[in-house]
Structure formats: C-alpha cells, structure tokens
Amino acid sequence: MIEYIVKRDGRKEAFDDYKIYDAMHSAYIASGSRDKKLTRWVVNRVVETLESRCGDSLPTVEMTQDVVEESLIKAGYVHTAKAYILYRDKRTHERERQSALMKTIHDITFQDAKDNDLKRENANINSDSSMGMMLKFGSETSKSFFLNSIAREDVSRAHRDGYIPIHDMDFAAIGTTTCTQIPIDKLFTRGFSTGNGYLREPQSINTAAALTAIIIQSNQNEQHGGQSIPLFDYYLAPYVARSYAKRICEVASILKPETDAAGLRKKLRAIYDEKGTLLGEKDSVFALLEELSIDKKTAEYIVGRAAALIKKDTYQAMEGLIHNLNTLSSRAGAQVPFSSINFGTDTTEEGRMVTENLLLATEAGMGYGETPIFPVSIFKVKSGINLNEGDPNHDLFRLACRCSAKRLFPNFSFIDAPFNLSFYKEGMPETEVGYMGCRTRVLADVNGDQVTPGRGNLSFTSINLPRLAIEADGDIDRFYESLDSYMELVVRQLLDRFVFQCKKRMKNFPFMIGQATWNHAEELVADDTLESVLKHGTLSIGFIGLAEALVALIGRHHGESAEAQALGLEIVRRMRAFCDAKTKEYSLNFTLLATPAEGLSGRFIRIDKKRFGEIKGVTDRDYYTNSFHVPVYYQISPFKKIDTEAPYHELTNAGHISYVEVDGDPLQNLEAFEAIIRHMAKKGIGYGSINHPVDRDPVCGYVGIINDVCPRCGRKEGEPLSPEKYAELKEIYHLK
Amino acid sequence: MTEAAEKEKYGKGVGFERIRRITGYLVGSLEKFNDAKRKEESERVKHIDLNKDSDENIGNYR
C-alpha cells in the first residue's frame, strides 16, 4: 500500500490515486474521447505497477507519470496516451520557462548591477535602485508573458533563437508606444493638466522652461522610449518676448512710477504678435515709450537694462531646464526622462537668445561642472541659416561647435541632406527634420501632413543580419530569400503590436492622448480607441551588424572594400524598398531604422558564436556592429568614414547616426572640428556627432582629457590630495 | 564628517569619470555600460588626432 509520493521539489505528500485518475481523465477528454470509456481499472493497474516497482522506497511524480503512459498504452488507450504525453511535455516546458524566469528574478535580487549584465541592459536606468529593481522584475516577467502568451509562435521562436530582436518587448503587453516629438507650443497656448490641476499658459521664459521639463516628464511616463522637442527655439521664443516686455515695464515703472505698466505690456505684446519679434523691434519700442512721454535718454536706459536682464533671465531658464532634465525622476524614480531638444534655426532675436543660452548653459555644466547627460541637444544645421559665414545664425553654429568640443553635445542634424530637404518648406518650421536623441526620425506620413511635431515611433523590431548571412553560406540569393521572409515576419509582428496598441483608450494615456501631445488626439473622446492617432506614427524594421554580414557573405566589410560597399547598399536598399511597399500596402508608415541595439548586440553574437563557432570578422568579437557603421575597431580616416556611411542615411528613413572618433582636445583645434561637421553636411549625413574623450576629476572638478594624472590637481586615480592642496584648490574653484 | 568621507573628499578611492556617447546618448561613466558595449567602447579606434598630425589631413577637405 503506497502512503506517500515524492514531489518534484523533494517534499513528501500523501499519495492520492484520485489525482492519477484526474490527470488521465483530462487527457481522455483532450484526446477527443476517441478511446473506450476510461475506468477505475486502469488506475488500479498504475498503482499496482508502482507498488511492485518501488518496494520499500517511495514513488516519485516523474516515475508515476512514466507508469501512467505505459499503462495507458498497454490497456489500448492510444489516443489518451498521446494526449497525456503532450500534456506532460507542455507542463515540462512551462516549468522550465518558469524556473528560467525565477532564476532571472533571483539574480536581479541578489546580484549588483556591476555583476549582472542584465541589470545594465540600458545604461541610463539604475537597476540597483529600489524602484529600478521593481521595474526590472516587471520587465522580465512581462517579456516572458509576451513571448509565451501573446506573440505568435513563429515570432516568439524567431526572437528566442536570435533572428529578430523585438525591442522594448517588456512593454509589448502594455501597449505603449516608443517616443514623441512634442509640440509644446500647443500645450502652452491651450494650457494643460498633469492630473491634479490645470496649468495656464506661461507668461515668462522661466516658467515656459520649467513647464517644458514637466511636459517631458509627464509624457515619458506613458511611453517606453524618449521625448523630444522638435522646435525648441521657435517654441520658447514668444516667452522670451513676454519676459522682455515685463522687464521693460518693470524698469520703466521704477524710473517713472506713474507709467501704466499693464497698458504698456499689452502694447508691447501687440508688437510681438504683429512682427514676430520684440527684441528686434527697438524702434517700435522707442516709439511706444515716447508716447508715454519718456525722454530719449531714459528710454535708452530702459531698453538697454531690459535687454541685459532678459539675457540673464533666459540663461537662468536654460540652466534650470538642464538641471531639471538631469534630476527629475520618471518611471518610478529609476531614471531621468530620455530627453532631446532640437534647435538652431529660429533667426528671430528671441529664438537666437534661446539657442545661445541653451548652449552657454550646456557649456557651463552642472553644479560642480559635471557634463550634463540630458537633454540630448541637437543643433539643426542649414545653409542660408547657420552653416556659412554671413548666415544669420552662423555665430550660433560656431558656438555649437565649441560647446560640443567641450561637452560632446550638441549633436548635429542636417536639414540640407537631400532626403530631409525634400520635406523642408521655408517659413514652416514644422517641416524641419527633428531627431530623437537616439536617432529616431519621423517625417513622411502616408496618412497626413509631412511634419515632425506631434508624432513618433510606435515600435521597432530588428533583424540580425550576420545570422542570416552566416546561414546563407556565401549564397547571396539564399541570403535575400531569408531576409525577405524575416522582414515579412517582422511586419506581421509590428502589425499585431499596432493592433494591440490601437485598442487602448484615452484613460490608458491620460497625458499623451488626454492632453494631446500627439496630433489629432484632441479629436478623441474618452472611449475612443487610438487608431486615428497612432496611424500617423511609424512602424520600423531595423537591422544590426551590416559589417559582419558582409564579411560573412564576401569576406570583407564596407569600410575596406568597394565591392562590399556596393553589396551593403544593395542590401539596405532592398530593405528600404520592402518598407516602402508595405507602407503602400497597409497605408501605415513602415520605415527602415539603423538600429542602435545597445542592449542586444552582445546577446546575439553570443548565440551565434555558440551556434556557428568563432568566425573571423563575424563572430570573433563581443558585440555586433551598430546598424550600418564601419566597425569601431577598423582604422579609417574620419572623412572616408563619413563618405562610406552617408549613403545609408538616405535609405534609413526611420533614423540613423554616424560618429567620428577623435583623439586630443578638440577645443584646441575647433577649425578641424568644424571641418568634420561641414564634411558631414556636404556628404548628406542626416544626423551625426563627434566623439572625443571627456573626463572629469570629481575631486577638483577638472573637465577635459585625463590620462593617468589629473592636469589640474596632479592626483592619480584613487589617490587623495593633501588637505592643504585641497584647501588651495578650493580657493580657486567651486569644490564640494 | 566621518573619517572615510573626509578621505573621499580629498580623493581616496575616487576614480575619474569618463563620459562616453553611445547610441546617441551620453553615459556618465563606463561602469553603467553592459559588457558588450563596454567592450565595444574599449575597441573603438580614433579616426584622427586633432592636436597632432591632422592639419594636412583636414586641409584636403576644407
């Protein structure tokens, strides 16, 4: 007589033969009841067999299941046995998945980020913080749920096997979208609510800058990517004018207390509304002051003083914005918002003041001279506006170069690149290209206006090109065949995700939809689903490792051979044509992305190394090369690198970025720095940047290149200064 | 201030921060990178040295 059974986890439990009957009965039902009626008799055979096999020891669950299978087959219940085996197999898989998930959660709990690669998946999320860990728990569980319960089987398999990385998969079951180019002008003029109370239109540059940060933060909490302001200088300019008007009235009231300040302000505002600038309309201002019988000399003093004050106001507002964007929490405190700011083309005095002071505040750095990590600032380059000597904003372009040479930001975007210029309409800044800091670009719209603001990316999934190339074994046709079939699979997955996203409602996104940071969201009412808004977003197919794929196919990458470059362009052109065809077919914006793949490149090469072994130039590193980049380890001149990568910018309409790595201190050679940026402009790069070492000694606050010894205080890494030396430095610099 | 904090203020055990750009974003220190990206960063070659032999190089493109 069996009294106990040993469970999988080793615990003993009372043996209950009814459970055996239960499992067999479920299998009987699942088989479509095609066998004769199941009876108690079979259960008794199982128990007897167990008794005879076990002797004095206890039966285990595994053993019992084996005996059940055997007994069913012996007794002629073939269909039931088959169903039972399938059921058992499925349960085993589920257990394995669950235990893999539990292992992941165990590691998140007991390992620090420095020992756990997963916790450093995204460098700007602190997964050691309490809420960061909570997010990581959610993220890993959600990924597992999506793959096992939502995604189609072939999609899950392709993701797991490393063919198609589905990005931000932890948010797939939540239905969020990636990012937004936020038209803050609309939110400013309408006023907006973040949930508890309504914020009216700002009346000063200071408030406008503060509200910008709040808008970015609020929208960030409802998406899984980042937030960008596409026309920062244009959007903030009116509030510079308002602050300036305020300053004029203030100074005038001090000098001439009987001045009707409110009336003056109204008239000043009318000038701005009519002319589009107040700072640039000095004569009209003087005329107004004369009407108030303020003498010429006093008037000059008022205008001069107000001009000096507004400069300071604007600087402080920009400084405050940068500080806010590096300290505001989003997503339960695990990270600051991923914020980007595009600017540089507004030529009004007010717009120029915004750009200039944003750059100056970036250059100055944070409280102890630290380099601001956010916002990703992006200077929009355009000939006739800022690129060339004599252009109205040329001084700002030069300042941008100086700032970037010190702080790595701004990055540079190029409106004159032919694929950006074709959208550009003079006098319509919304047709200027705007980039998300990471590289995402949204401009064409098959369903509406070709504009940047009020739209964003919905989701993207990449293709692991080196894998397809290795499998094709040098056969280009075979490579294209599998590329096409995986692109089809990605399209299906993006569409599934799109349908899921569209089923959401305003209540799911009270800010993004409720306060309409997306175009057309203001036309929705509470219970509407989101298709009419989201159809303006982009669905992107990305790719990683073009360089390794080319080596796998023809033995060379595009940085080292013209033949490889031709093939590389052919491959990427094919991908773009595929996206364009799908855009037509579905009337949705399918676009091609040069994937950044920060968190993925390592995972994919590990899988491929295991599967195919170490292939020279393909799987022999620890990462796959970013999108279409020339491999980082390949020695090439900066100009040749730009020439090689530029043609891919045109093809990757969902976004792209190219880097040039320079050594030495670019501040000592700004002319060369500028020459590189100009070369980018000339060659049709859409978005680019120059990387150079920016080091900082947190003790003395020195920012620049630090090799082994800090040039300012002379200490080596980890070594202390003497208290005397510290005190001496503290006299000169702003130290902790 | 504790003794340890005092020493840290003068720099004992304090490393240099090395800010790098990756995927368009800056990251405040290399420790935050995942293993693959850390390796990628360490293998990046410099395309040009702006303080040294670059003038004739750049000159061609002016």
Side-chain angles (χ1 to χ4, degrees):
Chain A
M1 175 73 185
I2 303 174
E3 276 185 77
Y4 294 100
I5 184 166
V6 181
K7 293 184 62 177
R8 278 202 178 75
D9 58 9
R11 277 181 300 154
K12 245 167 45 173
E13 197 180 79
F15 182 77
D16 178 2
D17 66 358
Y18 186 76
K19 282 193 173 163
I20 296 177
Y21 180 78
D22 212 27
M24 282 163 65
H25 190 71
S26 302
Y28 173 73
I29 301 290
S31 73
S33 316
R34 274 184 289 166
D35 292 324
K36 63 189 177 202
K37 200 163 168 16
L38 199 68
T39 61
R40 216 33 237 185
W41 182 82
V42 198
V43 182
N44 293 342
R45 294 290 80 72
V46 174
V47 178
E48 274 167 25
T49 313
L50 279 176
E51 273 170 350
S52 75
R53 280 195 198 163
C54 290
D56 287 340
S57 59
L58 295 178
T60 63
V61 170
E62 272 307 298
M63 182 200 286
T64 308
Q65 290 185 334
D66 288 343
V67 173
V68 169
E69 278 181 29
E70 252 176 67
S71 309
L72 281 170
I73 293 167
K74 258 193 217 154
Y77 290 92
V78 181
H79 296 290
T80 308
K82 213 168 144 191
Y84 184 80
I85 291 167
L86 282 176
Y87 163 79
R88 202 180 154 187
D89 198 49
K90 202 174 138 207
R91 288 299 301 266
T92 308
H93 271 292
E94 259 168 40
R95 256 196 318 278
E96 278 168 1
R97 273 178 209 159
Q98 263 193 21
S99 78
L101 178 61
M102 283 307 132
K103 166 86 173 69
T104 306
I105 288 183
H106 180 276
D107 292 348
I108 295 170
T109 311
F110 294 107
Q111 289 181 351
D112 282 342
K114 70 176 169 49
D115 304 316
N116 183 340
D117 202 40
L118 193 66
K119 284 175 99 167
R120 282 177 277 117
E121 197 174 7
N122 189 324
N124 284 311
I125 297 177
N126 178 1
S127 299
D128 279 333
S129 73
S130 318
M131 289 303 150
M133 229 166 102
M134 188 70 204
L135 278 186
K136 206 72 200 157
F137 270 61
S139 160
E140 292 305 321
T141 315
S142 166
K143 277 186 205 167
S144 173
F145 174 68
F146 173 76
L147 283 176
N148 295 322
S149 306
I150 295 187
R152 292 170 199 248
E153 183 98 27
D154 50 354
V155 168
S156 287
R157 204 180 323 117
H159 175 88
R160 277 207 181 93
D161 291 350
Y163 287 93
I164 57 161
I166 301 170
H167 299 271
D168 304 300
M169 196 172 68
D170 40 352
F171 285 91
I174 319 289
T176 50
T177 52
T178 314
C179 50
T180 310
Q181 291 281 0
I182 311 176
I184 50 173
D185 56 336
K186 286 189 189 160
L187 281 93
F188 282 165
T189 48
R190 279 197 301 253
F192 63 93
S193 159
T194 53
N196 298 308
Y198 188 81
L199 301 168
R200 275 175 298 135
E201 184 180 12
Q203 296 302 323
S204 70
I205 182 61
N206 207 5
T207 316
L211 293 188
T212 302
I214 290 172
I215 292 170
I216 286 175
Q217 180 189 34
S218 303
N219 219 51
Q220 175 80 352
N221 282 324
E222 298 180 6
Q223 293 197 293
H224 54 250
Q227 305 303 323
S228 179
I229 309 294
L231 304 164
F232 185 68
D233 40 358
Y234 291 97
Y235 292 156
L236 274 281
Y239 306 100
V240 171
R242 282 188 200 184
S243 279
Y244 178 54
K246 236 188 223 177
R247 288 302 194 189
I248 291 175
C249 297
E250 265 172 34
V251 182
S253 304
I254 292 168
L255 295 178
K256 208 165 177 254
E258 66 275 23
T259 308
D260 167 18
L264 176 59
R265 225 167 117 184
K266 226 182 232 165
K267 284 179 188 159
L268 288 167
R269 199 158 148 195
I271 295 177
Y272 181 78
D273 290 344
E274 194 200 326
K275 308 276 186 183
T277 177
L278 186 58
L279 276 159
E281 284 291 320
K282 281 215 172 78
D283 290 345
S284 315
V285 175
F286 281 128
L288 263 184
L289 294 176
E290 206 184 322
E291 267 175 44
L292 295 171
S293 50
I294 293 173
D295 64 79
K296 183 82 186 151
K297 208 175 143 201
T298 313
E300 261 167 18
Y301 177 83
I302 292 171
V303 170
R305 180 79 190 124
L309 285 170
I310 185 60
K311 217 170 161 178
K312 216 164 149 192
D313 289 342
T314 308
Y315 181 82
Q316 277 171 356
M318 296 305 119
E319 192 181 40
L321 176 67
I322 292 170
H323 284 224
N324 275 336
L325 290 179
N326 283 286
T327 50
L328 276 176
S329 287
S330 75
R331 297 184 189 146
Q335 54 173 253
V336 298
F338 286 74
S339 56
S340 307
I341 285 183
N342 295 263
F343 57 91
T345 48
D346 185 347
T347 52
T348 65
E349 287 295 315
E350 285 83 354
R352 286 172 43 75
M353 192 166 278
V354 170
T355 296
E356 181 183 13
N357 287 290
L358 181 66
L359 288 168
L360 290 175
T362 304
E363 199 179 29
M366 303 282 290
Y368 289 112
E370 302 97 319
T371 293
I373 302 298
F374 287 107
V376 177
S377 64
I378 302 159
F379 188 89
K380 292 194 261 193
V381 178
K382 168 105 189 63
S383 62
I385 291 181
N386 54 33
L387 179 63
N388 302 312
E389 197 85 50
D391 288 349
N393 282 1
H394 185 60
D395 55 334
L396 298 176
F397 170 70
R398 303 207 61 186
L399 177 61
C401 288
R402 192 180 86 194
C403 181
S404 189
K406 178 165 186 195
R407 296 294 186 183
L408 293 159
F409 284 152
N411 298 342
F412 295 85
S413 70
F414 301 92
I415 297 175
D416 289 326
F419 52 91
N420 286 332
L421 194 62
S422 62
F423 292 93
Y424 177 79
K425 294 195 185 96
E426 215 182 311
M428 292 177 67
E430 65 272 26
T431 62
E432 292 177 5
V433 68
Y435 283 84
M436 199 51 69
C438 63
R439 74 190 59 193
T440 311
R441 169 186 178 276
V442 174
L443 204 45
D445 186 0
V446 68
N447 293 314
D449 297 335
Q450 322 282 308
V451 296
T452 296
R455 307 170 55 207
N457 175 259
L458 301 170
S459 76
F460 59 104
T461 297
S462 295
I463 293 178
N464 178 358
L465 291 182
R467 160 74 61 82
L468 306 190
I470 298 168
E471 286 185 345
D473 202 16
D475 182 340
I476 308 273
D477 292 335
R478 216 171 117 196
F479 172 77
Y480 280 143
E481 202 177 299
S482 79
L483 178 60
D484 289 351
S485 84
Y486 278 104
M487 285 195 290
E488 283 290 351
L489 187 68
V490 169
V491 164
R492 215 148 44 96
Q493 180 265 324
L494 292 172
L495 281 171
D496 284 345
R497 194 167 178 173
F498 175 70
V499 169
F500 191 85
Q501 289 164 330
C502 285
K503 282 188 190 141
K504 297 279 159 182
R505 290 161 207 277
M506 192 185 288
K507 66 178 173 210
N508 300 115
F509 306 108
F511 193 80
M512 184 178 110
I513 301 299
Q515 302 303 307
T517 61
W518 278 57
N519 298 339
H520 307 288
E522 64 276 11
E523 295 150 24
L524 296 186
V525 294
D527 267 345
D528 288 342
T529 52
L530 306 183
E531 201 196 337
S532 64
V533 172
L534 297 187
K535 72 179 181 189
H536 300 284
T538 58
L539 297 160
S540 305
I541 302 180
F543 61 92
I544 57 173
L546 179 67
E548 287 81 3
L550 289 168
V551 175
L553 287 170
I554 58 168
R556 295 226 179 287
H557 63 71
H558 54 315
E560 55 189 356
S561 116
E563 187 201 354
Q565 170 74 345
L567 180 60
L569 285 169
E570 188 183 291
I571 293 169
V572 178
R573 224 171 262 137
R574 186 187 188 95
M575 297 184 80
R576 171 61 187 277
F578 185 91
C579 291
D580 289 350
K582 292 295 167 189
T583 298
K584 247 193 189 147
E585 184 180 341
Y586 292 101
S587 284
L588 288 170
N589 300 305
F590 283 97
T591 51
L592 183 63
L593 177 72
T595 309
E598 178 185 2
L600 292 162
S601 76
R603 188 186 145 225
F604 286 97
I605 202 163
R606 277 198 295 278
I607 302 178
D608 291 349
K609 208 181 280 189
K610 211 161 145 194
R611 190 175 287 195
F612 305 106
E614 218 169 272
I615 308 171
K616 193 166 177 306
V618 184
T619 60
D620 59 347
R621 307 258 168 178
D622 289 335
Y623 51 89
Y624 276 142
T625 296
N626 207 315
S627 61
F628 55 68
H629 286 185
V630 171
V632 294
Y633 51 81
Y634 183 70
Q635 191 66 59
I636 188 171
S637 94
F639 302 100
K640 175 88 191 301
K641 183 169 196 284
I642 291 167
D643 297 350
T644 309
E645 294 183 0
Y648 296 97
H649 282 236
E650 179 177 4
L651 299 171
T652 45
N653 56 342
H656 36 243
I657 190 167
S658 280
Y659 301 126
V660 165
E661 304 283 333
V662 310
D663 213 353
D665 181 359
L667 279 172
Q668 304 308 316
N669 193 353
L670 276 176
E671 219 180 321
F673 187 95
E674 217 184 290
I676 296 172
I677 300 294
R678 285 181 176 283
H679 192 72
M680 289 183 179
K682 196 165 111 192
K683 291 294 171 156
I685 290 276
Y687 182 36
S689 204
I690 298 179
N691 286 334
H692 51 87
V694 174
D695 303 328
R696 180 174 169 272
D697 182 356
V699 174
C700 71
Y702 175 79
V703 174
I705 300 171
I706 307 178
N707 293 321
D708 294 335
V709 177
C710 174
R712 179 182 284 174
C713 68
R715 78 179 190 101
K716 285 187 181 158
E717 199 147 20
E719 279 179 4
L721 295 172
S722 67
E724 297 76 33
K725 176 82 185 167
Y726 185 85
E728 186 188 306
L729 286 162
K730 199 171 172 156
E731 288 287 301
I732 317 172
Y733 305 106
H734 185 52
L735 304 186
K736 268 177 211 173
Chain B
M1 201 185 280
T2 64
E3 203 183 328
E6 180 85 15
K7 278 184 179 157
E8 198 181 284
K9 187 174 104 178
Y10 297 136
K12 189 169 165 57
V14 178
F16 299 137
E17 292 167 4
R18 301 192 186 277
I19 294 176
R20 298 293 179 267
R21 186 195 330 264
I22 201 134
T23 71
Y25 290 107
L26 295 189
V27 176
S29 88
L30 294 173
E31 283 85 64
K32 291 182 182 167
F33 282 170
N34 66 43
D35 297 343
K37 282 293 157 186
R38 204 181 289 185
K39 193 82 184 179
E40 195 248 57
E41 200 282 336
S42 77
E43 291 182 7
R44 284 180 183 176
V45 295
K46 299 292 179 184
H47 301 120
I48 199 164
D49 186 331
L50 291 185
N51 298 151
K52 283 183 194 152
D53 51 5
S54 58
D55 269 8
E56 67 272 28
N57 235 328
I58 301 267
N60 297 334
Y61 291 90
R62 275 212 189 104

